[in-house]
Amino acid sequence: MRASRVVAGRTHGGGQIDTEQARAVAQLLASGRRLDLLVGPAGTGKTTTMRALAGGWTEAYGQGSVVGLAPSAAAAQVLAEDLGIRCDNTAKWIYDHRRGRADFAPDQLVIVDEATLASTQARDMIAARAAQVGAKVVLVGDPAQLQSVDAGGAFAMLSAARGDDVPRLTEVHRFVHDWEKTASLRLRDGDTAAIDQYETHGRIREGSTDEMTDAAYTAWRRDIATGRASILVTESAENVRHLNDRARAERIRTGLTSAGRDVVLRDDARASAGDVIITRRNDRRLRAGPHGWVRNGDRWIVTHVRRDGGLEVSPEGRRRGSVALPSSYVAEHVDLGYAVTAHRAQGLTVDTAHVAVSPSSTRENLYVSMTRGRHANTAYVALDEPDPLHATPAAPDVTACSILFGVLNHTGAELSAHQVIDDEQNQWASVRQLAAEYETIAIAAQRGRWTRLVRRALRDAGGLSQKEADQAVRSEAFDVLAAGLRRAEAFGHDVDTPLPRIVAQRSMLDADDVAAALAARLARASARPNHGAEPDLIAGRIPAARGPMPEETVRALAERRGLIEAQAHAVRPRPIARRHGLKTSRSLSAGPGLRRAGRTGPGVTVR
């Protein structure tokens, strides 16, 4: 492509790019792919990089050779203003394309911003059409941030599949404080060390839900009063409504919002002159100046309330003209705009962010919310909302840090269908899963044998009554004892003979839990292989089940043993057991089967 001859790294579109951004631009311009990705965490300068990329492409192919798309009309408007190019939202472009009103051109560059928020279907349609006409698509986003409410995951799948061949921005520029650059990346990766950094710098508060909601709101209001651009982020739509109503009430009390005529908005909220509102539906018929129109997600200041229930509003922040919203639109598609959810916050950059965190939050929600503010991002953590996925707030020692630990370990990222299939296959064929299946089968198959053996040893050698022996078998520690018996047998010990001797070592009559005491004695007595015997350990770790078992059980165990050893061999060609000075009882070439030696009744004895 001609664009590959453009020198990347110089100033494009009025902004100087750094070395990393220049490298990403050069890689994208020189790539022969029709579909490329640009991956960057929050605050790494994706917009600056896109501006340089658009400038380089325009130098090569001329004006109009770059177009932009974004998942929402508001995001598309921001992209258009940031890059100075024609932009639209993905749904509108697809709608127009199907009716012959929109298309790509050969050698055109299509930049799709916030690509993780676009559905997989929309991205696929856009990429397919671009390839047909000879255009190039660059998807820009971050797989660690929030994703589409529709089927998604394709961006993350492509990013993972292409590995080092994807231009990636890693240098964070947004934050004033250097420590926050590192901490934000740790949040993104789910690294719980980030919690200590935020706590050390006073960015974590804790208390009841009401206390934290109040603290977040108070801090946000204080920042707004001092002229800072600030957002108040909360978890649920219900909390958004509550905070919006509170903000409006206080603005009326202080005179920032009129106490006169008001109108009813969506969800029965009310607005009057001076209120901040947010529009929730695209309507191109409602023009805001010569080039603007009303978009979903736009924020406005109410300047006048009409008698018919309509509103006259002016845009907040960006330069567009005022617009009159009819009463029908106001009643169905307008909310107060003081508090937002994390999905609404993604893509915003402000001075400060105040984030109300509940235990049910996800890593992606927390990361997006806590990376909006240049100067400060503060988490207000509720301790009294139970959630089984994380720490249990009912516990007396729960803290903000323990809840944040749970949040960082709770990812809500959606996988693509291909990734779901791969993950399911990997999960059900993993060593962990196979080992769990092996343990379950072995416990069920050997329980009767171990129950009889332990009862007999406790009665004959331990002097316990039948009732006391039965209590030991029903103990929660009996499974530990059973696992110890299987391990002892795998280490070459004939458990039928030494178990009575172990019981008789010392009286069991004073033991609080006979099964637990016996398990501890057995572990000491069988810690090493019997007289240099070769331990029968699967992949050097899992004691093999031996003794009489039904033939179908033997086959099931043999199958899982073979799969475990094959998986272990694939991960580590040298047997794991050698790290422990042990040798596996069979080489991998010997196959997964268990050697059979003589039948005993309906079962098969395995030695």
Side-chain angles (χ1 to χ4, degrees):
M1 292 185 178
R2 235 176 17 249
S4 64
R5 297 194 295 270
V6 176
V7 178
R10 56 185 166 177
T11 301
H12 286 299
Q16 184 68 39
I17 59 177
D18 64 20
T19 302
E20 182 181 63
Q21 293 165 343
R23 189 182 305 116
V25 171
Q27 188 174 346
L28 291 168
L29 291 176
S31 168
R33 285 194 174 107
R34 290 294 176 187
L35 177 64
D36 263 318
L37 276 69
L38 173 63
V39 176
T44 51
K46 293 189 290 294
T47 299
T48 301
T49 306
M50 286 189 288
R51 188 181 299 118
L53 175 63
W57 196 273
T58 300
E59 286 185 30
Y61 294 104
Q63 291 297 320
S65 61
V66 182
V67 295
L69 295 174
S72 70
Q77 176 66 23
V78 172
L79 184 65
E81 295 177 2
D82 285 338
L83 305 191
I85 61 174
R86 179 169 56 86
C87 296
D88 213 333
N89 75 77
T90 53
K92 179 63 166 56
W93 186 91
I94 292 171
Y95 178 87
D96 286 345
H97 174 69
R98 286 171 173 167
R99 288 156 180 78
R101 298 198 295 261
D103 206 351
F104 301 133
D107 292 329
Q108 199 167 44
L109 175 66
V110 183
I111 298 176
V112 183
D113 193 19
E114 298 289 355
T116 59
L117 289 173
S119 70
T120 296
Q121 184 179 23
R123 282 194 298 262
D124 183 63
M125 184 174 294
I126 290 166
R129 183 55 188 162
Q132 288 172 355
V133 303
K136 179 185 178 72
V137 175
V138 175
L139 303 176
V140 182
D142 179 12
Q145 295 191 44
L146 295 167
Q147 299 187 30
S148 170
V149 295
D150 297 320
F155 188 93
M157 180 188 70
L158 286 170
S159 175
R162 293 189 179 180
D164 294 337
D165 203 22
V166 174
R168 299 177 189 274
L169 305 177
T170 59
E171 182 64 30
V172 180
H173 303 280
R174 173 174 296 167
F175 307 113
V176 171
H177 305 288
D178 287 338
W179 71 266
E180 199 158 7
K181 299 177 182 180
T182 304
S184 70
L185 294 176
R186 285 178 169 171
L187 278 186
R188 179 180 185 268
D189 296 337
D191 183 352
T192 55
I195 299 172
D196 290 336
Q197 289 183 276
Y198 283 96
E199 185 180 37
T200 298
H201 291 88
R203 299 290 184 79
I204 298 175
R205 307 280 192 274
E206 65 179 35
S208 69
T209 299
D210 290 343
E211 290 171 342
M212 291 301 95
T213 301
D214 183 70
Y217 174 84
T218 302
W220 167 80
R221 187 186 60 182
R222 183 171 56 247
D223 284 346
I224 293 293
T226 58
R228 281 183 160 183
S230 183
I231 57 169
L232 178 58
V233 188
T234 187
E235 191 72 22
S236 67
E238 181 180 355
N239 287 339
V240 168
R241 287 194 297 271
H242 167 73
L243 290 169
N244 278 332
D245 289 343
R246 178 177 177 180
R248 180 171 188 270
E250 292 201 8
R251 287 173 66 89
I252 291 175
R253 181 174 56 81
T254 58
L256 294 173
T257 291
S258 170
R261 183 188 302 130
D262 60 22
V263 296
V264 179
L265 310 179
R266 198 173 70 118
D267 293 332
D268 296 327
R270 291 182 172 273
S272 52
D275 268 321
V276 178
I277 62 167
I278 185 167
T279 48
R280 295 298 194 188
R281 182 184 177 92
N282 296 326
D283 195 328
R284 293 171 186 265
R285 298 168 298 178
L286 301 176
R287 306 302 299 181
H291 305 294
W293 45 276
V294 173
R295 293 170 168 83
N296 178 21
D298 279 348
R299 291 158 64 94
W300 310 81
I301 304 294
V302 177
T303 57
H304 178 67
V305 178
R306 295 181 170 182
R307 292 185 180 276
D308 64 357
L311 293 175
E312 294 179 13
V313 299
S314 60
E316 183 190 58
R318 298 202 173 248
R319 294 180 180 177
R320 276 175 291 158
S322 60
V323 64
L325 303 177
S327 58
S328 58
Y329 185 95
V330 169
E332 296 182 23
H333 308 300
V334 173
D335 287 331
L336 290 172
Y338 300 109
V340 296
T341 62
H343 271 88
R344 293 290 178 186
Q346 183 160 313
L348 296 178
T349 301
V350 292
D351 294 326
T352 62
H354 301 279
V355 185
V357 181
S358 73
S360 60
S361 186
T362 66
R363 179 196 307 170
E364 292 77 16
N365 270 0
L366 182 66
Y367 171 59
V368 168
S369 302
M370 290 290 288
T371 52
R372 300 302 97 199
R374 303 181 191 90
H375 294 273
N377 299 275
T378 306
Y380 301 80
V381 185
L383 305 182
D384 57 348
E385 293 188 17
D387 189 291
L389 292 174
H390 304 147
T392 303
D397 58 346
V398 69
T399 64
C401 292
S402 65
I403 287 178
L404 291 175
F405 182 92
V407 170
L408 289 181
N409 282 282
H410 177 204
T411 178
E414 183 178 3
L415 300 178
S416 67
H418 184 78
Q419 287 174 307
V420 170
I421 292 171
D422 284 348
D423 280 7
E424 286 294 309
Q425 289 175 338
N426 291 336
Q427 176 184 345
W428 292 106
S430 68
V431 171
R432 177 180 296 181
Q433 176 65 29
L434 291 167
E437 292 177 7
Y438 189 96
E439 293 280 348
T440 301
I441 295 170
I443 288 171
Q446 294 184 310
R447 189 171 187 87
R449 178 187 169 202
W450 301 139
T451 297
R452 291 189 296 273
L453 179 63
V454 170
R455 277 177 173 155
R456 186 169 61 249
L458 291 175
R459 289 196 312 267
D460 298 347
L464 272 64
S465 66
Q466 180 69 38
K467 181 179 179 180
E468 290 169 329
D470 289 344
Q471 287 176 342
V473 169
R474 289 194 298 268
S475 166
E476 292 182 358
F478 184 78
D479 284 343
V480 178
L481 175 57
L485 288 166
R486 176 155 62 88
R487 181 176 181 83
E489 195 164 53
F491 270 53
H493 297 278
D494 183 6
V495 293
D496 293 274
T497 302
L499 188 62
R501 187 168 60 250
I502 294 171
V503 171
Q505 285 178 353
R506 192 170 66 250
S507 173
M508 307 289 292
L509 295 174
D510 59 346
D512 292 332
D513 189 323
V514 172
L518 186 54
R521 292 186 194 181
L522 177 65
R524 290 192 295 269
S526 60
R528 293 186 173 279
N530 186 31
H531 301 303
E534 185 178 302
D536 191 2
L537 299 176
I538 303 169
R541 286 191 172 276
I542 305 166
R546 308 174 111 186
M549 289 179 285
E551 189 167 358
E552 61 270 19
T553 300
V554 173
R555 285 198 300 270
L557 292 172
E559 289 171 1
R560 284 155 181 80
R561 176 175 190 147
L563 291 170
I564 292 170
E565 291 186 331
Q567 289 269 27
H569 182 67
V571 174
R572 185 183 294 274
R574 298 182 64 187
I576 297 173
R578 291 182 187 173
R579 292 184 301 166
H580 305 284
L582 303 172
K583 296 180 180 179
T584 53
S585 59
R586 302 166 181 82
S587 68
L588 294 174
S589 61
L594 297 174
R595 292 180 296 179
R596 301 175 184 175
R599 295 179 180 271
T600 58
V604 177
T605 300
V606 183
R607 297 194 183 96

